[in-house]
Amino acid sequence: MSVLDTGVILAYFLLLIVVGILGAKKAKTAEDYALAGRNLGLFIYLGCLSAVILGGASTIGTAKLGYQFGLSGMWFVFMIGLGITLLGLFFIRQIYGANVTTISELLGRRYNQEARLISAIVAAIYTLMVSVTQVIGMGSIIHAVLGWPMTTSMLVGGGIVLFYTILGGMWSVTMTDIIQFLVMTIGIFFIMLPMSLSRVGGWEALSQQLSASHFDFTSIGWSSIFQYFLLYTLGMIVSQDIWQRVFTARTTKIARGGAVYAGVYSIAYALALSIIGMCAVIVFPTISDPQNVFASMSLAILPHGLLGLILASVCSALMSTASGTLLASSTLISHDILKQYWLKNMSDQHVVRLSRIITLVVGVIAIIFAIWIQDVLVALDVAYAILSGAIFVPVILGFFWKKATAKAGLYSMVISSLVVFAGLALEGLSSTKPIMYGIVASIVSMILFSYWRPASHLQPDHQAVIEEWEDEQKVL
């Protein structure tokens, strides 16, 4: 690593800190801090949404899968893009006009406060786990690039993200995410992809030197493709960090269009990284650890200066996801738990102060966990399994099935969560069966408890909430 590359990366970190400080000036209200005032235009919203869904795992992981399975390695991020596209096409109209801050608030309005609390706890744990994985990823990149100790690297990377997220909340995250989106796009599509293909002699030479299996879109196996669908497509539709970005859009049209465009962008991103991984098969036919494919290709084909920019783009992907999930976790805790049960009469300024404090606490916990654990990919799969297996059905049926009751929604989340945990214990943490068990248990619970104690048997206030919800959906 040259002095020039090191300087590029350090200058990039400094830029993020400065932009984060500028964003703090815009975070004057609780809505500014959590949702950037619900005032983002299409391009900024698209960039922010794309940045949060494409983290370090998407970049490094897809290059690894491309090395191992060829074009079929794109399915991991393809399913993320598919989830965002489906969210935009079929669900944005239902959720945007509800004028809420979190998915848990929406579930509380549709069902009851107990459902809000349970979903907030599950979603907060999930987003915290995602933050931990991104801090580990940042530490790995900084450690490899600058040679700092791993612990120091995670403290620096996580500390920078925590600093600007605390200062300006969603406004700081938005301003830094736009920079990160541009760096990611230029780094992957306009530098890394064409230079990788050039190194191996172009697409025609690549197709001649690799086996046919590398060009088979299903070589990774249908079971893996289905697993990615269950984990990521369903998970994206009910993920708080994604919903929180959706609520930042200025209009429903922007929210919907930006989500679809971000999904398409993600699919293109997946294809580009898979091809880079395929090029690495020729450049490094016997690489010891496929996890290092992207870094190895960067070091092999890029001149000084550009190498620093590309590695900064990987840090961008990690930082944008970390900041979004960090803010999502703190928003769930402050908005749906503390403010609802203990601090009900807080002023708007006090809510902003509380949000900053909770963001600090969550961020410190994430950094400590990252230093302590250093490998939480399995735990992340478990978190996605809970999202898909326990929360997906109550959200979807809450939108489209009028007979769904408060008790059914609450019991469905509790029972399906227990079923998923039991399934993971029996089938193994990498199995997709617990997700299917959870979805089936959730559907059965929703139907059983809705008909066993229909809406007419609810308490008057719960019945009024459901009627209000249905009126809102008719307006939308």
Side-chain angles (χ1 to χ4, degrees):
M1 177 63 64
S2 70
V3 175
L4 177 60
D5 294 318
T6 301
V8 169
I9 294 173
L10 293 178
Y12 176 73
F13 289 163
L14 179 61
L15 175 63
L16 292 182
I17 292 173
V18 172
V19 171
I21 294 173
L22 294 176
K25 297 180 179 180
K26 291 179 170 289
K28 298 178 180 179
T29 68
E31 190 166 89
D32 288 337
Y33 191 86
L35 301 174
R38 303 181 190 266
N39 196 37
L40 300 187
L42 179 60
F43 174 75
I44 296 178
Y45 167 71
L46 166 63
C48 291
L49 190 57
S50 299
V52 76
I53 62 180
L54 297 173
S58 301
T59 304
I60 299 171
T62 302
K64 171 187 174 181
L65 292 173
Y67 183 90
Q68 295 173 315
F69 302 103
L71 291 177
S72 189
M74 70 178 291
W75 283 108
F76 163 40
V77 174
F78 178 94
M79 289 304 178
I80 292 176
L82 177 61
I84 298 298
T85 302
L86 293 177
L87 178 67
L89 290 176
F90 300 108
F91 302 107
I92 291 294
R93 292 186 183 277
Q94 280 76 15
I95 68 175
Y96 184 84
N99 195 33
V100 297
T101 302
T102 66
I103 184 174
S104 301
E105 183 180 356
L106 196 66
L107 287 170
R109 183 182 298 184
R110 178 60 179 88
Y111 298 115
N112 55 26
Q113 290 302 305
E114 289 79 8
R116 180 176 184 174
L117 176 62
I118 291 174
S119 61
I121 293 172
V122 171
I125 293 173
Y126 153 72
T127 48
L128 173 63
M129 287 181 176
V130 178
S131 298
V132 171
T133 62
Q134 303 308 300
V135 173
I136 294 172
M138 283 184 281
S140 300
I141 295 296
I142 296 172
H143 169 70
V145 171
L146 302 180
W148 296 349
M150 187 65 177
T151 298
T152 302
S153 300
M154 286 190 283
L155 285 171
V156 171
I160 291 172
V161 172
L162 180 57
F163 176 75
Y164 69 70
T165 306
I166 290 173
L167 283 181
M170 186 59 82
W171 269 120
S172 289
V173 171
T174 295
M175 295 174 70
T176 53
D177 274 2
I178 288 302
I179 296 174
Q180 290 161 345
F181 172 70
L182 293 174
V183 171
M184 288 165 54
T185 301
I186 294 171
I188 298 301
F189 290 101
F190 297 98
I191 298 177
M192 197 65 185
L193 177 61
M195 293 191 71
S196 296
L197 285 170
S198 176
R199 177 62 180 266
V200 300
W203 178 260
E204 184 175 351
L206 182 68
S207 62
Q208 292 174 352
Q209 296 179 69
L210 294 181
S211 64
S213 64
H214 281 85
F215 300 88
D216 182 356
F217 281 98
T218 62
S219 63
I220 198 170
W222 285 107
S223 61
S224 294
I225 295 172
F226 185 58
Q227 180 181 23
Y228 293 147
F229 173 79
L230 290 177
L231 286 172
Y232 303 114
T233 300
L234 302 188
M236 285 293 106
I237 294 175
V238 294
S239 181
Q240 166 61 24
D241 52 323
I242 307 303
W243 280 41
Q244 198 159 340
R245 295 305 177 98
V246 167
F247 297 144
T248 63
R250 185 182 301 131
T251 65
T252 305
K253 183 178 180 181
I254 290 174
R256 189 183 189 203
V260 174
Y261 297 149
V264 174
Y265 177 88
S266 300
I267 294 171
Y269 195 85
L271 184 60
L273 265 299
S274 296
I275 294 173
I276 292 171
M278 292 166 64
C279 293
V281 176
I282 298 174
V283 180
F284 302 103
T286 58
I287 194 168
S288 58
D289 184 4
Q291 192 73 26
N292 298 324
V293 163
F294 187 87
S296 298
M297 281 295 289
S298 300
L299 291 168
I301 68 175
L302 298 177
H304 296 309
L306 282 182
L307 176 59
L309 179 63
I310 291 300
L311 294 176
S313 73
V314 178
C315 289
S316 294
L318 291 157
M319 287 180 165
S320 58
T321 301
S323 59
T325 53
L326 183 64
L327 185 62
S329 185
S330 64
T331 301
L332 286 159
I333 294 170
S334 59
H335 185 78
D336 292 294
I337 299 176
L338 296 180
K339 192 172 182 295
Q340 289 299 309
Y341 290 92
W342 289 285
L343 305 169
K344 296 182 178 181
N345 299 318
M346 294 186 69
S347 66
D348 196 66
Q349 290 301 316
H350 285 141
V351 171
V352 174
R353 186 178 304 170
L354 173 67
S355 298
R356 286 194 168 107
I357 294 172
I358 298 303
T359 302
L360 173 61
V361 173
V362 171
V364 170
I365 292 173
I367 294 173
I368 291 173
F369 276 20
I371 294 172
W372 176 38
I373 302 173
Q374 300 205 10
D375 186 359
V376 291
L377 295 180
V378 172
L380 183 60
D381 286 344
V382 172
Y384 268 109
I386 294 296
L387 274 181
S388 300
I391 295 182
F392 180 78
V393 171
V395 171
I396 302 306
L397 291 187
F399 286 152
F400 300 109
W401 192 40
K402 294 181 180 181
K403 294 183 180 296
T405 67
K407 182 178 287 294
L410 174 62
Y411 287 178
S412 172
M413 281 185 272
V414 173
I415 293 172
S416 55
S417 295
L418 294 174
V419 168
V420 170
F421 277 122
L424 291 171
L426 295 173
E427 299 284 350
L429 297 179
S430 61
S431 175
T432 59
K433 292 181 180 179
I435 305 174
M436 293 184 284
Y437 298 157
I439 290 175
V440 171
S442 190
I443 293 173
V444 172
S445 300
M446 287 290 295
I447 296 174
L448 178 63
F449 286 105
S450 291
Y451 281 106
W452 179 43
R453 193 179 183 190
S456 60
H457 293 160
L458 291 173
Q459 296 296 325
D461 57 336
H462 290 164
Q463 182 64 46
V465 167
I466 291 179
E467 292 174 355
E468 178 185 355
W469 170 278
E470 291 175 352
D471 290 340
E472 288 175 351
Q473 302 312 306
K474 289 177 182 177
V475 171
L476 292 173

